[in-house]
Amino acid sequence: MLWNTVIVVLTVIAMEVFAIVAHKYVMHGFGWGWHRSHHEPRTGWFEKNDLYAVVFAGVAIALIHAGTQGRHPLEWIGTGMTAYGALYFIAHDGLVHQRWPFRYVPRQGYLKRLYQAHRMHHAVAGKEGAVSFGFLYAPPVAALKRQLHALHGGAPRARVQSDEHPAS
């Protein structure tokens, strides 16, 4: 039981590392065709970018199935991927992008930092020159501001300085 819990926790951590790399090099690279919708105003409940969640959920389901068929510990890896997906949904889709029926803008602590970091990610128009590619890990806001300044000679858009209005 303890070993299974360790596998789940390590998988959640590994998923954040994987997500940072995939977000930077796939979603802002050759996978921009799906991800672009996430950087544009949403016109309904779903966006093309949500297909990434469907793909990763499919992988998690396949791993859980394989593990329950005797290929241990794949079910626990799939469970960790599912847990990461739930955390992603709460933090990214809910907290940052307000894709649920209530609004909460954190005013302090790590959730504020996460919120601000992702807002700075969306401060750049297009796929080039963005910062902060994590979904659950947020670098310090001051460091991100310095990166944006270095990349763009200042803030690319005014909303970088403000955390009062939710990003799309």
Side-chain angles (χ1 to χ4, degrees):
M1 178 64 147
L2 178 61
W3 180 243
N4 297 339
T5 303
V6 169
I7 291 170
V8 170
V9 170
L10 289 176
T11 301
V12 169
I13 294 166
M15 283 302 300
E16 178 65 0
V17 173
F18 172 82
I20 291 168
V21 172
H23 189 190
K24 186 171 185 174
Y25 297 106
V26 175
M27 294 175 188
H28 280 253
F30 66 87
W32 181 249
W34 283 6
H35 191 61
R36 176 186 299 125
S37 67
H38 183 62
H39 287 264
E40 297 171 345
R42 195 172 50 256
T43 58
W45 278 92
F46 297 102
E47 53 193 45
K48 200 171 191 179
N49 182 68
D50 294 334
L51 292 172
Y52 283 113
V54 172
V55 169
F56 296 132
V59 172
I61 291 166
L63 289 171
I64 291 168
H65 175 72
T68 59
Q69 299 301 306
R71 293 182 179 90
H72 305 293
L74 295 181
E75 70 271 32
W76 300 111
I77 295 170
T79 300
M81 288 178 70
T82 302
Y84 180 83
L87 292 169
Y88 167 89
F89 175 74
I90 292 165
H92 179 264
D93 288 351
L95 177 71
V96 175
H97 290 292
Q98 311 284 317
R99 288 179 73 179
W100 34 15
F102 61 88
R103 300 202 181 264
Y104 171 70
V105 177
R107 302 286 180 217
Q108 61 184 354
Y110 188 76
L111 290 180
K112 179 179 180 180
R113 179 169 141 181
L114 183 66
Y115 181 86
Q116 289 177 315
H118 200 73
R119 293 279 320 262
M120 283 189 242
H121 174 77
H122 282 271
V124 175
K127 68 180 186 174
E128 302 295 330
V131 297
S132 188
F133 291 91
F135 296 113
L136 301 179
Y137 169 71
V141 172
L144 294 174
K145 285 181 180 181
R146 284 192 302 273
Q147 284 179 353
L148 280 172
H149 184 75
L151 288 168
H152 303 280
R157 289 200 293 235
R159 74 179 187 178
V160 171
Q161 270 72 31
S162 170
D163 66 350
E164 297 300 316
H165 304 290
S168 351

